[in-house]
Each structure stands twice: as C-alpha cells, then as structure tokens.
Amino acid sequence: MLDERKSAILRAIVNQYISTAEPVGSTHVAKYDPGVEVSSATIRSEMAQLEREGYLIQPHTSAGRIPSDKGYRYFVDNLSTPGRLGPTQRQEVKEFFSTSHFAIETMLHDTSRLLAALTSQVGVVIGAVPGATTVVGAQLVKLSPNSGVLVFILSSGDVERIEIEIPDGTDEILIQEASGYIQRCLVGTKWGSACGKLDEVTDPQLDGIIRNCQSALRAAQDRNKINPSSNHVFVDGASHITDAFGAVDTVRNILSILEQQYLVVSLLKDILDRGSSVSIGSEHGEARLADCSIVVAPYSKDGEPVGTIGILGPTRMKYSEALATVAIVGNQLTDRLSETN
Amino acid sequence: MLDERKSAILRAIVNQYISTAEPVGSTHVAKYDPGVEVSSATIRSEMAQLEREGYLIQPHTSAGRIPSDKGYRYFVDNLSTPGRLGPTQRQEVKEFFSTSHFAIETMLHDTSRLLAALTSQVGVVIGAVPGATTVVGAQLVKLSPNSGVLVFILSSGDVERIEIEIPDGTDEILIQEASGYIQRCLVGTKWGSACGKLDEVTDPQLDGIIRNCQSALRAAQDRNKINPSSNHVFVDGASHITDAFGAVDTVRNILSILEQQYLVVSLLKDILDRGSSVSIGSEHGEARLADCSIVVAPYSKDGEPVGTIGILGPTRMKYSEALATVAIVGNQLTDRLSETN
DNA sequence: AGTTGGCACTCTGTACAATAGAGTGCTAGA
DNA sequence: TCTAGCACTCTATTGTACAGAGTGCCAACT
C-alpha cells in the first residue's frame, strides 16, 4: 500500500503519461497537478522511491518517469475513479442497441465495431458457444443427387448447418422420412448430447441415412470442441493500434495476434477466469502484447454467461473510460439478448 | 509499345525493384541483368526516355529509377512471364481443398487464410451472394412466447435465418401450421422473389403470423441489397502489410480500408467488371491504396460466378506469382463448390 | 547514327561535434 | 521533514563535412 502522497504522485504521473505519452518529470507534477502540493524536489525523492519499489520506470537517466505495469495495476485497482460515459457516447450505445439487428452474428460483429468506435481502440467480441442450448427445430434437405444439408435450429436462435453425404439413388420420400424422424428424435434434446439420441430404425435404407447424419453430427461437434468457436470471434478497429504505436514492429506483433483468433479467445477467457476485468502489459503472458492492455466484460443471456467482449489498446490507455464502456456495452448486450424471453 | 531494348530495361528495373525495394541505377541493370547487353550510359539515356514517357519515376535527382504505375501496368500486360506455383505451394493448395470443410462460411474464411499464407500478403474472399438460388427448405420455430426464427435452406447450401415477432398467445399448433404453409408456398421458388409468394390465408390468426413473416422476409432481403453481403467478406493476413510498408501511416490507411468491408467488395467488383484481374496503384481510385495493387479472380459454382477472391499487397509485388496463386485457388474453390452436384 | 567512356554535378545518408533543454540526485539550510 | 540550489547526465537537434551512388552530357569511336 502506498501512502497518501505517493498515491497522489503516482496518480498524477499515470494521468499525465496517458494523455501526453511523454515521460513525466517532477516539475510537471509539481506545477500542473492540483492534487500534489509539495515542491519538485520532494516529488523527486518520492519518485526515486516509487521507482525502487517497481511502480515507475525511467527510460534513461535524465528523463522523466513512466508507469510500469505494476504502476498501472496499482492505479487501476486503487487510484482510478470509476468513469462515466459522456452523453454523446451514451446516446451512441443506446441508439445502437435500439436499432434492430436480425442475425445474432451480425449484431455481435457490429458490437465489436461499436466498441472500437467508442474507445478508438480494437474492439473484440467473442460469440456465444452453443452447448447447453436445446434443439428446437431440425430439417434434412437434399441439395444434389448425393449431398444434402442438415439444419438445426437452437433455442439460442442460432442455426447449425451440417453437410452430409447421401447414398446414390435415395429418393425424395426417404429424405423426408429421415427428416421427420430426426425432428421427432432430436427436437427438445440438449444440443450437446444430440448425436447420441438417434436410435436405430428398422428400415435398412433409412437407417443408412440416419447413420450418415449421426456421424456427420458427431464430427461437427468434435470439430467445434477442438477449435472452439473459430467463427465466433469478431475483431474491429485494428487500424487504431497504428495511432497508439509508432513502431511498425509493434503493430505487426499485435496484428499477428489478432489474426490468431483462438489466441484471442484464450486471452480474454484467461482474464475472466482470473476473476479480473483488466489485464495490463505482461500480465497476460504473451510477449507480443507486452505494451498492450485488455479490458473485458462478460455478457449473458437469460442469466447465464455466454460470451465476452473486450477492447485491446496500449497500456497507456484511459482505463476508467475503457472499463465504463465495456461494462455498459456488456450490460446492454445482455439486455438485448435476454429481452425476447 | 516499347521497342525490344526498352522492354528489356523496364523488365530488368521492375524485377530488380521488386526484389530489392531500392531504386535501380543504370549500372545495376548493365552489370547484373543478362537480358541487357549494352553499357550503362546507353541504359541511362533509355531510362531518361522511359521516364519522360511515364514508365519510370526518379525519387530524386541522384537516385536510381523505380517503376511508375504505368510501368508496372506495362510490365504486367506485356513483360511478365506467366508464373507457376512451386511444388510446396501446389501441395499446400491441394491439401487445403482435400480437407473437408463443413460450412461454406468456414471454408471461405479459411480460403482467405490460405491466400495470405501462400502469398505473404493480405488474402480477401468475398462470399457468394444468394439471389438466383432456390429455396429447398423452410421452417418456422418458436423461441420464446413472442419471438421466433424463420429458417430457409437454399439450393446453394446456405442457410438464411430471420428473426420474427410472434403475437402473444400464439400456440404451438398454429406455429406448426404456419411453418407447413410457408414450406408449401416457398420451397421450390427463387429466393429473390420469395417474399411475393405468400398468399393470403383465410384463418385470420394464421394470416397474422404469415404477414409478420412476409414483412420480416422483405426487410431482410432489402437489408441485404443495401448492404450487400456485409458478413460475407473474409480478410486475413493483414499483418503482412507491415512487412511491405515501413510507414505506420500507410499501414493505418490500408487497415482502415480493410475494415470497411463494403469498400473492399466494391473495389474487387470494379476490377472484375473492368474485365481485368490486376489493379495497380492509383488505378483503383482509392487514394489510401495508392501504393497497393490488388490481384483478383472470380470463382463459380455450377458454371455461374458467385464470388471473388483476391490478394492485396504493395505495388512492388510479384505479379506473376500472385496471378498464378489467385487463379489456382479460384479454380480449386470452383471445383470444390461444384463437385457435389 | 548509334554507342560508349569519361567527367562534372547533384543529392542522400551518415558520422561527428557542439549546444540547448529537461530532468535527476544530492546536499546544505530553513 | 521539506526545499532551494547546483552539478551532472542524457537526449534531441542542428550544422558541417564527406563518402557513395547515380545522373546527364559530351566528345570520341565504330
């Protein structure tokens, strides 16, 4: 724990550094920060101590100080006043969620865009993973002489679509029979355990089709487990990182991370699992993101958490604003998803 | 038309500049290019002429020359030998398309990744837009007391999903009736004209639901026209542009374009409409892409073009390789999409 | 007439020194 | 315990000199 004065100095340095991106010197703190009422010399000695304790870093001997990850962490946990959104932004969020969005996918995609626009940083939305949802509709349709598509409608409103092979010479009637049978068997069951529910049928020809469906269904679900929700990650506003970082190498590193969506998923998930909502610099173990912080919030549907939203920006970010934004968008998203029930 | 020698010199300059990214001087051309057998002085005077004619640019008085957009264009149209893929890459493409992909969306997404990996540039895939496809399956399902989802399966194998409101107190039986009615009316019709095909029914309660469906369907289709296939653009490998451009500003410009997917769609579309497959520098009228070229190829399903793939990279790119890659991936994609029929 | 070697000229990038500015750490005194 | 003052350090900027690369032009050669 830092004493009152050290806290005030650290707060002043973080605030100034966030807005100027320049190392902060003792004189600046003494002159321009109303919260610190001592001379620059005193501040200097306090700063030297803060540096020894790891809260500050001095880029070189005769430069000011910048906050370390630990410094930011202390700032976020103890010194930052909970932020509120400006009226314009409040309005923007409200308007966004009052506009009808049809497909969930589209809405989540647009939400990542909203986050990016609000914060001028990278917006990330991780989609709901089906699993505990139940099957509310099912249909098998023939597309060509030997292929078809099996469509499931889930209680979440999502649609799962699985391509299957159909034995040559299978006629339309049989397909319809199979479709009806699948519907009767699976509607009402949990999506996660659906593939076990297809019992054997007497007609050998019909049974062949059903077996095909069953194995395709199992394959699709396995694939989904191995590579969880690879098409459920939405990233927008990547160009904003060029505003925060002047070095192309840094930009490349961050872009390359954003391209590996499974990495993004696990990063955000880890933060939530740790019970936190902010991850600063090297706290997430990814070296390429050493200069970045991530702010996340979960969102729910019907009281059950189903996904995560977040923003990614430089460690030098306005945390209180970011936290407020992510929180409000998460809440609104939750409301929007749950309202129809 | 350029004479033999000018052609050889231009070719040499383009090739060298592409591989070194440095302005090319007369000495280099004379010394290291086996296709040019004259002295550097002669080359100098030819280069001066090529510059006067607009094929070359001199960054400053005492620098070598670099190709202008016009120079690249001439190179691509007349001087470039049709490229072939290396065996490793051939293998990579083959392997990619032989691996099963279930959902089309996933496959297209992965295709953009493949393009990026093959060329080390930005890969773009624009998805097939449904329209002339026919409806092969339809189902209405209730999700909550007053909302439901209407699902259409199209002959392309795509699934369209539309959320609708359901009047309070509508019971399950009525929903099923409506579902059956919609199925009877619309299965077999063209997707583009589907919403006109829902005739009036006598039962007023049933008619209410049908009307809801009809207007939702119309709204969804209109939305799709205004904002064509916004969720059908897949971009991957954006980090590669940091390899091509050292200036963060350039990177930002390009990223900001890639984020506006409708822009990407119209850019690629314009190139194909112009009957071309390469667009160089300022040829596409977007200032932010002045230093980029785009190489595209269409892909088809059952003989009918349904989408576009392409790569985006610096004007200084290996065009023959790029063209070959895009062509082969386009062909393979076409084959893969058409094979099931 | 076309080609070539030679030469003066131009421009960039780099290395180096000098300087101004910002900031520190330390110390003596209030 | 705080503060004013001072010597010191490091960076960033500016100016200068210089090497290197490349050009354009011209006279001579084939």
Side-chain angles (χ1 to χ4, degrees), chain A residues 102-103 113 136 138-139 141 144 146 149 151 153 157 159 161 163 183 223 237-239 242-243 246 248 252 259 340, chain B residues 102-103 113 136 138-139 141 144 146 149 151 153 157 159 161 163 183 223 237-239 242-243 246 248 252 259 340:
Chain A
F102 293 86
R113 181 148 298 193
V136 295
Q139 190 165 14
V141 172
S144 76
N146 50 17
V149 62
V151 173
I153 308 172
V159 173
R161 179 185 159 294
E163 282 173 25
Q183 205 165 340
R223 224 164 37 86
S239 64
T242 58
D243 301 330
V248 203
R252 184 193 354 265
E259 278 167 10
T340 48
Chain B
F102 294 86
R113 181 147 300 193
V136 296
Q139 189 165 12
V141 172
S144 75
N146 49 16
V149 62
V151 173
I153 307 171
V159 173
R161 179 185 160 294
E163 282 175 25
Q183 204 164 343
R223 224 163 37 86
S239 64
T242 58
D243 302 329
V248 204
R252 183 193 353 265
E259 279 167 11
T340 48

Side-chain angles (χ1 to χ4, degrees), chain B residues 153-307:
Chain B
I153 307 171
L154 305 180
S155 57
S156 61
D158 277 322
V159 173
E160 289 286 329
R161 179 185 160 294
I162 296 165
E163 282 175 25
I164 62 158
E165 283 179 31
I166 293 178
D168 259 338
T170 310
D171 69 2
E172 197 61 49
I173 313 278
L174 204 61
I175 296 283
Q176 284 187 13
E177 251 178 74
S179 184
Y181 176 74
I182 291 169
Q183 204 164 343
R184 281 191 303 280
C185 279
L186 297 188
V187 166
T189 64
K190 290 281 170 208
W191 169 241
S193 58
C195 69
K197 297 286 164 67
L198 286 171
D199 296 325
E200 207 164 320
V201 291
T202 46
D203 181 341
Q205 219 182 342
L206 186 59
D207 194 57
I209 299 174
I210 301 291
R211 289 309 129 222
N212 269 4
C213 290
Q214 190 175 26
S215 59
L217 179 56
R218 180 167 301 134
Q221 291 198 331
D222 285 352
R223 224 163 37 86
N224 231 340
K225 262 177 217 151
I226 294 164
N227 178 18
S229 58
S230 73
N231 49 357
H232 287 299
V233 182
F234 305 96
V235 174
D236 203 277
S239 64
H240 289 307
I241 61 171
T242 58
D243 302 329
F245 299 103
V248 204
D249 287 352
T250 318
V251 174
R252 183 193 353 265
N253 283 338
I254 300 170
L255 286 181
S256 71
I257 295 236
L258 291 176
E259 279 167 11
Q260 292 170 282
Q261 306 194 323
Y262 65 95
L263 240 176
V264 176
V265 173
S266 64
L267 273 170
L268 296 223
K269 196 173 165 311
D270 285 353
I271 300 171
L272 278 183
D273 285 353
R274 231 182 293 141
S276 177
S277 55
V278 186
S279 177
I280 296 165
S282 51
E283 287 180 4
H284 39 267
E286 175 57 62
R288 285 172 287 175
L289 290 185
D291 299 321
C292 291
S293 287
I294 303 175
V295 178
V296 297
Y299 64 90
S300 317
K301 172 163 184 163
D302 308 328
E304 188 189 338
V306 289

Side-chain angles (χ1 to χ4, degrees), chain A residues 121-141:
Chain A
Q121 298 185 349
V122 183
V124 179
V125 172
I126 297 180
V129 186
T133 54
T134 56
V135 177
V136 295
Q139 190 165 14
L140 174 62
V141 172

